[in-house]
Amino acid sequence: MDSTSVDPVVKYGWILVVLLVILLQKLILRAFFGTVIVAKDEIGIVNKKWVLMGKNRTLPDGAIVALNGEAGLQADTLAPGIHFGLWAWQFAVSKVPFTTIDKGHIGIVEARDGHPLSGGRVLARTVDCNSFQDARAFLTRGGERGPQISIIPPGTYRINTALFQVAAAEVLEIPDNMVGVVTTKDGMPLATGEIAGKEIPGHNMYQDAEAFITNGGHKGLQEQVILAGRYFINPRFATVETKPMTEVPIANVGVVIAYVGDEGKDVTGDSFKHGNLVSRGQKGVWFDPLDPGKYPINPFTHKVEIVPTANIVLNWATGKSEAHKLDEKLSTITVRSSDGFTFNLDVSQIIHVPRNDAPKVIARFGTMANLVTQVLEPTIGNYFRNAAQTSDVIEFLKKRSERQSEAKVSIAAALTEYNVNAIDTLIGDITPPEALMKTLTDRKIAEQEQVTYKTQQLAEETRKDLQQARAMADTQARVVDAERSVSIAEFAAQAQVKQATGSGQSKTINAEADARVRTISAEAEARAKTINGEADAQVVITVGNADAEKARAVGTAEADVIKLKIASMESGNYAAVQIAQALAENHVQLVPQIVAGGASGSGTLVDVLLANLLRDNMKPLAGETEEKPQS
């Protein structure tokens, strides 16, 4: 038959059938072949509707999940893939997604089937069932219905949700510098008198709850704490409360009071009778305190009392308190004096608790606050009340420093008995009664007014004396001038006398000085002349000797020459030559202006010389004025 001749209705009918087969293939396969297709991220939970034959037609009493083919929910699930023989009229298959536990969470499981809980347990025991993915193993290995003690860590699981209900819970995070205080909900009951369970080994910080219970863990508060970190702890098994670490500051110690542990044995002996001190790990006050630092201590099982080891200042002053707050309830001390007045007194007490004595203080009083209220407050208050009654207010004020020194010694002796060192006692403000202060003020004002009156009286008397003095000064100006004139005249006369006396003494001294000077000068001059004369004489002698020697030598030489000259001519001729030479050297004219003639009438050299001599002597007698001829 030609295809072009096919009826269009038939053609499109076949197409429609194919489309219906494609669309309804799952139904067709399910109805005619019992086929079930499970996707890759699903599981199939099978519910068997009925069983016609066999002894296992119905579930046992109390059972919910079938293990042996009984009618009902089946323990085994269908994995992803194709499954046959599950006829629709006998089996109902529901597909559910995988169970996924996100990061930062854990899975909390509750089983709908299994054995009933036993042995007083509140959580079902752990069963090896591949993290609840093997329902058959869970039921056949003794799994118990109800909340499970085991948890599912983060991941993806094929869990039969018809048997197990899974809820997500957050992972436990313990921050830094914090501790986790654990309270378990399952385990053995605590013994009578105990408040917390002892530390149990092998449970990995409560993450293996079954090991905790198996090893003898107790339900309730646990002594062991959890340190900082992340933990997979079943919240149905244990609750965890985060608390800060115990910090002991610098200049302090921590005295531990343990509420758990073995019964403690006192280690102080008979020397300390006010309480027991025990070793670490025992119940009671630990003998060895904690030094400064941080400690992971359970605050519900151990109490750490901080005791300052530095000096502590306590103020008995209303409204004044130090940072430690130990004195916040102390107030100003009210005392009564011997004269019946009441007044207020501020006091500061400095104390010191030694490190090794801190446990004794806590064993005796429990807290530092109790030490203040039970010992320091009554001791110091009563001391100053007693001291005030032995004197009046004024005396107490005047002898404040003495009272302070006495208080220091007395209070130090009293506190030594309580293992406390008293460093110093200081008295602050003293507030006397207003009535007394008013009386004292009035008295002081009266005294000051009396002083003022006396001062004013003295001032008036002084002013009167001043006026009288001023008047006397005005009327006696002339008297003063006269007296001054007389004084001046007397002073002038005395000055003249003094001047004359001084002048005479001066002249005497000057004359004596001049005479002395002259004497000294004369002596010096005579001495000088003597020395000079001696020197000159010595010079003259020396020169004379030299000249004599020279003259002798020259004369000897000249004599020798003259002898030679005389030898060469006659002696009379030699004399005439010498005379002529001498006359020539002295510019004596050889031809005279006046000729004096002798009897013989002949002129000799003697005659010439005589004529010249007469001429020279006659010139002044004749009054001649003519000048001598220049030679």
Side-chain angles (χ1 to χ4, degrees):
M1 180 183 296
D2 190 359
S3 60
T4 58
S5 62
V6 177
D7 189 352
V9 176
V10 176
K11 180 179 179 180
Y12 289 110
W14 280 106
I15 294 173
L16 182 59
V17 170
V18 173
L19 292 175
L20 290 174
V21 170
I22 294 173
L23 293 174
L24 300 177
Q25 62 175 333
K26 291 185 178 182
L27 294 176
I28 295 171
L29 293 173
R30 182 78 178 84
F32 294 101
F33 301 100
T35 303
V36 175
I37 300 175
V38 180
K40 63 180 181 178
D41 57 352
E42 295 177 332
I43 60 172
I45 297 176
V46 179
N47 183 10
K48 194 173 186 179
K49 299 178 181 179
W50 48 267
V51 175
L52 293 177
M53 300 175 60
K55 61 179 180 179
N56 296 326
R57 289 181 298 175
T58 59
L59 289 170
D61 294 339
I64 299 175
V65 177
L67 291 173
N68 301 311
E70 299 92 344
L73 294 171
Q74 303 299 304
D76 299 323
T77 59
L78 302 179
I82 301 175
H83 302 270
F84 298 96
L86 301 172
W87 313 107
W89 59 82
Q90 188 177 10
F91 298 96
V93 179
S94 59
K95 301 173 185 179
V96 296
F98 291 164
T99 299
T100 300
I101 306 300
D102 296 331
K103 184 179 179 180
H105 292 77
I106 56 174
I108 309 303
V109 181
E110 183 173 354
R112 299 176 60 192
D113 201 354
H115 296 288
L117 294 174
S118 61
R121 297 279 296 262
V122 296
L123 295 175
R125 292 176 174 83
T126 298
V127 175
D128 184 12
C129 56
N130 191 18
S131 296
F132 302 100
Q133 295 180 102
D134 189 347
R136 179 175 292 278
F138 176 82
L139 293 174
T140 57
R141 294 175 182 175
E144 298 173 338
R145 70 181 66 195
Q148 303 297 304
I149 197 169
S150 300
I151 53 101
I152 303 175
T156 301
Y157 303 89
R158 298 190 328 199
I159 295 177
N160 187 343
T161 56
L163 175 60
F164 302 109
Q165 293 181 348
V166 181
E170 292 184 355
V171 172
L172 174 65
E173 292 276 0
I174 304 296
D176 293 337
N177 297 319
M178 304 288 284
V179 294
V181 180
V182 180
T183 302
T184 59
K185 300 177 181 179
D186 205 347
M188 297 173 58
L190 288 171
T192 303
E194 298 293 336
I195 65 169
K198 296 181 180 180
E199 183 174 345
I200 300 298
H203 54 79
N204 192 19
M205 288 295 176
Y206 305 97
Q207 295 180 104
D208 188 350
E210 187 64 32
F212 174 84
I213 296 175
T214 302
N215 294 333
H218 294 78
K219 65 177 65 178
L221 178 66
Q222 301 299 310
E223 179 182 353
Q224 185 181 10
V225 297
I226 303 175
L227 301 180
R230 172 177 287 189
Y231 300 91
F232 293 163
I233 296 178
N234 189 341
R236 290 179 176 174
F237 165 69
T239 58
V240 181
E241 182 179 0
T242 58
K243 293 290 183 179
M245 278 190 173
T246 300
E247 181 177 1
V248 180
I250 296 176
N252 292 265
V253 294
V255 179
V256 180
I257 305 173
Y259 303 124
V260 296
D262 298 332
E263 289 298 325
K265 182 179 180 181
D266 182 46
V267 297
T268 58
D270 296 334
S271 60
F272 184 73
K273 301 179 180 180
H274 306 283
N276 293 335
L277 297 179
V278 300
S279 302
R280 288 197 179 193
Q282 296 180 342
K283 188 183 297 185
V285 180
W286 290 358
F287 177 78
D288 189 16
L290 302 178
D291 291 318
K294 290 185 177 181
Y295 300 88
I297 294 177
N298 189 334
F300 299 109
T301 60
H302 297 77
K303 180 182 179 182
V304 179
E305 192 68 27
I306 302 299
V307 178
T309 53
N311 289 348
I312 305 172
V313 180
L314 302 171
N315 297 304
W316 276 258
T318 303
K320 183 178 180 180
S321 178
E322 300 293 332
H324 48 65
K325 299 299 181 183
L326 293 175
D327 55 355
E328 62 181 349
K329 295 183 179 180
L330 300 178
S331 59
T332 300
I333 302 173
T334 301
V335 299
R336 185 182 299 275
S337 62
S338 60
D339 51 359
F341 288 101
T342 59
F343 59 95
N344 295 328
L345 186 67
D346 289 347
V347 176
S348 294
Q349 178 65 48
I350 304 175
I351 64 172
H352 171 251
V353 178
R355 175 191 181 276
N356 294 333
D357 287 339
K360 295 180 181 179
V361 172
I362 299 304
R364 185 195 294 256
F365 301 105
T367 64
M368 288 295 294
N370 291 342
L371 169 66
V372 174
T373 57
Q374 296 176 16
V375 175
L376 295 175
E377 183 177 11
T379 299
I380 294 176
N382 290 334
Y383 173 81
F384 283 104
R385 292 186 186 96
N386 295 335
Q389 291 179 355
T390 61
S391 66
D392 56 30
V393 178
I394 304 303
E395 183 184 2
F396 194 92
L397 292 172
K398 290 180 179 180
K399 297 183 178 181
R400 168 177 172 168
S401 60
E402 297 179 8
R403 297 292 183 185
Q404 182 171 282
S405 300
E406 294 172 357
K408 176 182 177 180
V409 175
S410 178
I411 293 174
L415 295 184
T416 302
E417 182 182 351
Y418 301 99
N419 303 107
V420 177
N421 296 335
I423 305 301
D424 203 354
T425 303
L426 305 173
I427 298 176
D429 292 337
I430 300 176
T431 307
E434 294 183 1
L436 178 60
M437 289 305 296
K438 185 177 184 304
T439 302
L440 294 177
T441 302
D442 294 341
R443 181 187 304 172
K444 195 66 177 177
I445 292 174
E447 292 176 355
Q448 294 300 321
E449 287 179 349
Q450 185 177 2
V451 172
T452 302
Y453 295 153
K454 290 182 179 179
T455 304
Q456 291 177 350
Q457 182 180 2
L458 181 61
E460 290 297 329
E461 293 177 355
T462 304
R463 187 171 65 85
K464 178 181 178 181
D465 294 341
L466 177 62
Q467 290 177 352
Q468 291 178 353
R470 185 178 297 171
M472 292 179 64
D474 293 339
T475 57
Q476 292 188 2
R478 288 173 293 174
V479 175
V480 172
D481 291 339
E483 290 178 352
R484 297 304 299 169
S485 298
V486 173
S487 298
I488 291 171
E490 291 178 353
F491 290 150
Q494 292 176 1
Q496 290 178 355
V497 173
K498 291 291 184 180
Q499 185 175 3
T501 303
S503 178
Q505 292 178 351
S506 177
K507 289 179 179 181
T508 302
I509 293 171
N510 291 333
E512 293 176 352
D514 290 341
R516 182 63 178 169
V517 170
R518 289 192 185 99
T519 301
I520 294 173
S521 299
E523 292 176 353
E525 185 177 357
R527 181 63 179 169
K529 288 180 177 181
T530 301
I531 294 172
N532 291 333
E534 293 176 353
D536 291 342
Q538 186 66 34
V539 170
V540 169
I541 292 170
T542 303
V543 173
N545 292 334
D547 290 343
E549 188 65 28
K550 178 181 178 183
R552 186 183 296 112
V554 172
T556 301
E558 288 180 352
D560 291 339
V561 172
I562 291 172
K563 288 179 178 181
L564 291 176
K565 288 181 178 180
I566 293 173
S568 64
M569 64 180 66
E570 292 180 358
S571 58
N573 294 333
Y574 177 77
V577 171
Q578 290 297 316
I579 293 169
Q581 186 176 356
L583 293 174
E585 290 177 357
N586 292 285
H587 305 288
V588 177
Q589 292 182 359
L590 296 178
V591 180
Q593 294 177 352
I594 300 174
V595 177
S600 62
S602 60
T604 62
L605 182 58
V606 174
D607 294 333
V608 174
L609 293 173
L610 182 61
N612 287 332
L613 180 62
L614 292 173
R615 185 199 60 191
D616 292 336
N617 292 329
M618 289 175 66
K619 284 182 181 179
L621 297 176
E624 293 179 354
T625 59
E626 62 180 0
E627 297 178 357
K628 290 182 179 181
Q630 297 290 332
S631 61

